[in-house]
Amino acid sequence: MRLSQGFFPTQKEVPADAIVPSHQLMLRAGLMRQLGAGIFSFLPLGYAVMKKVMQIIREEMDAIGGQEFHLPALNPIELWEETDRVKAFGDIMFHVKNRPLVLAPTHEEVITAIAKNYLKSYKDLPQIWYQIQAKFRNEPRPKSGVLRGRQFTMKDSYSMDATWEGLDNSYDLHAEAYKKIYTRCGLKFFIVGASSGAMGGSRSQEFMVESQAGEDALVLCDKCDYAANIEVATSKISSAQRFEKSESIKEIHTPNVKTIDEVSAFLKMPLSQCAKSLVYIHEETPVLIFMLGNDQLNETKLQSVLSGNLRPAHPEELLQLTGANAGSIGPIGLKAKFKIIADKRLENANNLVCGANKNDYHIINVDFNRDVKIDEYHDLRTVEDKELCPHCNNPLRITKAIEVGHIFKLGTKYSESMKANFLDEEGKEHPLIMGSYGIGVERIIACFIEQHHDEYGIKWEKSITPYDVHLICVNANSEEVVKVSEEFYQQLQQEKISVLYDDRKNVSPGFKFKDADLLGIPLQIIVGEKNLKDGKIEIKNRQTGKRELINKNEVFNFVNKYINEFNVNLPSDGVQMDVVIKELIVKTLILAEGNQSKAAKMLNISRSQLRYRLDRHNINFENLNKNILKQEYIYLPSDGVQMDVVVKELIIKTLILAEGNQSKAAKMLSISRSQLRYELDKYKIEVQKSVILNEEDQKRKEQLKTEIRYLEEERDKLLSEHYTEEEQQKIKLTEEEQYKNKIKDFEEKIKQLVDKLDELIEKKIA
RNA sequence: CGGGGUGUGGCUCAGCCCGGUUAGAGCGCUUGGUUCGGGACCAAGAGGUCGGAGGUUCGAAUCCUCUCACCCCGACCA
């Protein structure tokens, strides 16, 4: 595509409304424009990326036997009444004004309606049906650009099975497919246990991307594999203690003492002896909830204990039901009948401080076993930062994240309410056992940009870049430059390499470079007058920022090689070899669906070597999470890459970073010098070939060569002069000696220079 | 839904508190010329019912009332 003819509205200034980087860059780079709150138009460049992402999703869904549908977004409202989800969604669902229709926020109902009519036998099962389509949700507050919109594109799929084992299988297939999708899209992700919410069902997991722009909080353990949404996370924490002697209860006047901290300070009681009371209304019944000290109630956990309508009580209700305002509520002397539940930490606790249900009074020495009838104890608290991991006692970390996918085991929730039944082998009728699985397409793009950008713009990965290469005609007034650019453009197009060609006239070079960096296409081919004079073309790698000058006629090979090979992107201070190998193995395992022999084959290593690596890097494929994908340095094509190739590339790149200094490189790689020497030996020939001198070195080398040539010429001249017969006759012995000495000098000098050159090359090759 | 903020050429914003010529700037756009490797320069132009409605006033972008839209924080969120 020619930039002069296409629609690529880039912006120099940061749009005022955009706060998060992905939002800013999607607008600046001209991927999309906003039409209303949470509604976006995708422009050609943005849609090109969407198509790439959707294609990856299709390939992976098809690979697990998914069949693509295209369902209507406009749904009869009756359909949603069957499952009672008109009420469940409430204001979130868009209703059509002039017909009894709704805009579908998801598609369980439509799928189940089809399944109900046609999946009548166990022989028809299992099925995986999916679609990639617009979803409509009337979000109360759209935000952060495409991260939370009212209309968005979603891949949603549904599995129908005859058995629960079948559901497990379909669910696992999706989990594997999702890992591959995110890996191929270049996302660093986590898999966490999640709450199923109103979707219902027995199990759900979320695929999360760590980001400051995220709206979810994750609890992560950096040591083991524990990772969970804060809505369901737990930690290792001690219960309130039970004192040997239960003191008798006593009412105490506590004027103006409301919060738990104030109570604790006023009564000089530790927080671990204070019970906080909260009142919720559950389906018209008041519920009194106790938390220890300052523990935060986790409403999601509460909701899973008390299914149905649940809300905090209003202040007037508090007074009416308990006889006191918030801050003085407790278990003793309640006016109304309450259901009483408490957090597990309070089980069997005694000598506690509680409100007295009388304003400005508290009761001390409450014994939960003696004075109160607690109906149930449950884990209701919200995990706090630095608490200990429930699996390995390591301090937990809480971080923000964006949900890019969610998979649910629905079970029979929808099939039962819609009577979607099938007959088993014995002719007995059962509801279909279903799963539902979603991926937000725009969120993948926004998350990718959150993870892959710098101050200048986006840095696309090969897998989802809108174009493979960005061809820049630096100066459209130079005939030669235009001619060569046009040739490249034709050639690349012929070879089916997608190319964005900046052929704009009257646009200054700086403008073109800035635009190219903003758009972030991975490879920039820069055709300029300066380099063209020497028959050279500059190629800039947007991800690494590295520029290379190559011969004009090698451009096509270079591009082709780049497109077909994997990437190793290193930070300027290098990276440990083990880290890269670990990432390689994890990613290969994902691509190999966890099949170890397949992975070993892809890596071209033995199975025992793979096992050794799995052990060494502590990789547990079943519990794969952020631990493993914390940082990303390599990009793999979908059929993987051999381990040797990666190691070789890593070493070469590290040596370049270390400017050929072997001990520095070894330190960067965190391996011993002898190991590095061994590896160098192993890849010796290729390494020499791949040595890249930087510009300065190149110049220096040329200089030395010229000098040597000059000296050699001088020497030859002297020699020839010396050895011509005519001269010989003329020259006296002493003179001859002089010449000989001079030649000796020259020889000496040449030898020094050759040594110097060798040293330089040696240093580069290291 | 609660709190805060913003609506002025295509974009980013100034002007508003304290009402008063023809509403400004930079970027972008058009035309001509110069320039051409990191967001060039000169000159001449086009483009705005100041979100909308009502009010106060001799006079409103500016003050008042209502309303709509958008953004941010919170609540909510499969």
Side-chain angles (χ1 to χ4, degrees), chain A residues 502-761:
Chain A
D502 195 344
D503 61 334
R504 290 175 295 184
K505 307 206 184 305
N506 296 318
V507 173
S508 68
F511 214 102
K512 291 183 178 178
F513 295 140
K514 292 284 184 191
D515 264 353
D517 287 348
L518 175 60
L519 296 185
I521 290 163
L523 216 52
Q524 296 173 14
I525 303 176
I526 303 169
V527 185
E529 220 164 5
K530 213 171 64 185
N531 295 318
L532 206 53
K533 250 183 239 159
D534 310 327
K536 301 278 188 190
I537 301 296
E538 181 181 334
I539 297 211
K540 177 175 168 182
N541 183 319
R542 177 65 179 97
Q543 287 168 11
T544 60
K546 218 179 78 188
R547 302 148 184 280
E548 279 177 73
L549 280 180
I550 60 170
N551 284 325
K552 201 179 110 184
N553 49 18
E554 281 166 16
V555 168
F556 180 70
N557 283 340
F558 186 99
V559 170
N560 224 359
K561 187 163 162 258
Y562 174 83
I563 285 173
N564 294 316
E565 93 183 344
F566 70 99
N567 274 358
V568 178
N569 292 325
L570 303 185
S572 58
D573 54 348
V575 62
Q576 298 180 8
M577 187 144 112
D578 263 7
V579 171
V580 171
I581 292 178
K582 183 176 181 181
E583 183 187 338
L584 171 69
I585 289 171
V586 168
K587 289 192 164 177
T588 307
L589 267 173
I590 289 173
L591 293 174
E593 297 159 14
N595 180 332
Q596 288 194 17
S597 33
K598 199 172 159 191
K601 213 172 278 173
M602 283 165 117
L603 292 163
N604 197 23
I605 59 176
S606 66
R607 282 209 54 177
S608 56
Q609 203 188 338
L610 179 62
R611 268 198 300 277
Y612 159 75
R613 285 288 172 185
L614 291 176
D615 193 48
R616 177 190 169 111
H617 302 301
N618 195 18
I619 298 169
N620 180 352
F621 188 67
E622 295 311 313
N623 285 317
L624 180 65
N625 72 18
K626 87 294 167 188
N627 243 348
I628 295 156
L629 294 174
K630 205 179 282 177
Q631 194 59 51
E632 196 180 36
Y633 300 107
I634 56 180
Y635 163 81
L636 297 188
S638 53
D639 55 349
V641 66
Q642 300 182 6
M643 185 149 115
D644 264 5
V645 178
V646 173
V647 171
K648 191 172 81 190
E649 183 80 6
L650 172 68
I651 289 173
I652 292 171
K653 292 205 165 167
T654 307
L655 276 166
I656 293 171
L657 287 174
E659 291 163 343
N661 183 331
Q662 278 196 38
S663 34
K664 198 172 161 193
K667 213 175 273 173
M668 279 169 147
L669 291 163
S670 196
I671 58 177
S672 65
R673 279 207 59 174
S674 57
Q675 197 191 336
L676 179 61
R677 267 198 300 275
Y678 164 78
E679 302 281 357
L680 286 175
D681 198 43
K682 192 168 157 193
Y683 304 117
K684 198 174 172 193
I685 300 159
E686 286 79 2
V687 169
Q688 277 188 345
K689 264 191 200 159
S690 308
V691 163
I692 297 156
L693 298 170
N694 65 27
E695 259 176 77
E696 206 177 302
D697 289 333
Q698 196 86 38
K699 262 187 215 154
R700 181 103 187 86
K701 187 178 139 192
E702 293 300 326
Q703 237 171 35
L704 284 170
K705 272 188 174 168
T706 326
E707 246 173 89
I708 289 167
R709 233 177 352 251
Y710 171 73
L711 288 171
E712 279 172 347
E713 272 168 29
E714 288 291 296
R715 177 197 61 188
D716 292 345
K717 216 157 83 190
L718 279 171
L719 280 171
S720 66
E721 275 170 14
H722 180 60
Y723 288 112
T724 1
E725 281 177 69
E726 281 181 355
E727 294 295 319
Q728 258 186 351
Q729 285 168 5
K730 284 180 190 169
I731 298 162
K732 291 175 187 170
L733 193 70
T734 48
E735 277 175 314
E736 192 186 313
E737 276 173 352
Q738 273 179 13
Y739 275 120
K740 272 191 175 168
N741 285 338
K742 226 174 179 179
I743 288 165
K744 232 179 174 177
D745 268 14
F746 274 123
E747 292 281 15
E748 194 72 39
K749 250 189 176 166
I750 289 169
K751 197 166 167 269
Q752 273 177 16
L753 287 168
V754 169
D755 280 354
K756 230 177 183 172
L757 177 64
D758 283 345
E759 200 185 308
L760 183 70
I761 291 170

Side-chain angles (χ1 to χ4, degrees), chain A residues 248-344:
Chain A
S248 48
I249 59 171
K250 206 163 112 193
E251 192 176 278
I252 295 184
H253 184 53
T254 53
N256 278 324
V257 171
K258 294 241 154 47
T259 68
I260 287 293
D261 287 327
E262 287 166 3
V263 171
S264 163
F266 184 87
L267 295 171
K268 302 205 169 47
M269 295 282 262
L271 281 171
S272 58
Q273 273 179 263
C274 298
K276 181 166 72 173
S277 315
L278 297 155
V279 178
Y280 274 72
I281 308 292
H282 174 233
E283 304 281 353
E284 312 298 318
T285 358
V287 183
L288 185 61
I289 298 148
F290 288 105
M291 303 299 298
L292 180 60
N294 262 329
D295 284 358
Q296 289 296 309
L297 171 69
N298 185 325
E299 287 202 16
T300 310
K301 288 183 180 176
L302 180 64
Q303 182 81 62
S304 65
V305 170
L306 306 169
S307 53
N309 231 330
L310 187 71
R311 63 170 174 84
H314 305 306
E316 320 83 66
E317 288 173 324
L318 287 182
L319 191 59
Q320 195 191 338
L321 293 166
T322 68
N325 292 69
S328 301
I329 293 168
I332 296 165
L334 290 161
K335 277 192 167 175
K337 174 133 181 58
F338 276 80
K339 176 176 184 168
I340 302 179
I341 59 181
D343 182 65
K344 270 215 147 62

Side-chain angles (χ1 to χ4, degrees), chain A residues 428-447:
Chain A
K428 265 175 78 183
E429 197 169 56
H430 301 282
L432 292 167
I433 299 170
M434 298 175 63
S436 136
Y437 319 88
I439 289 183
V441 176
E442 290 94 338
R443 276 193 185 179
I444 287 186
I445 298 171
C447 286

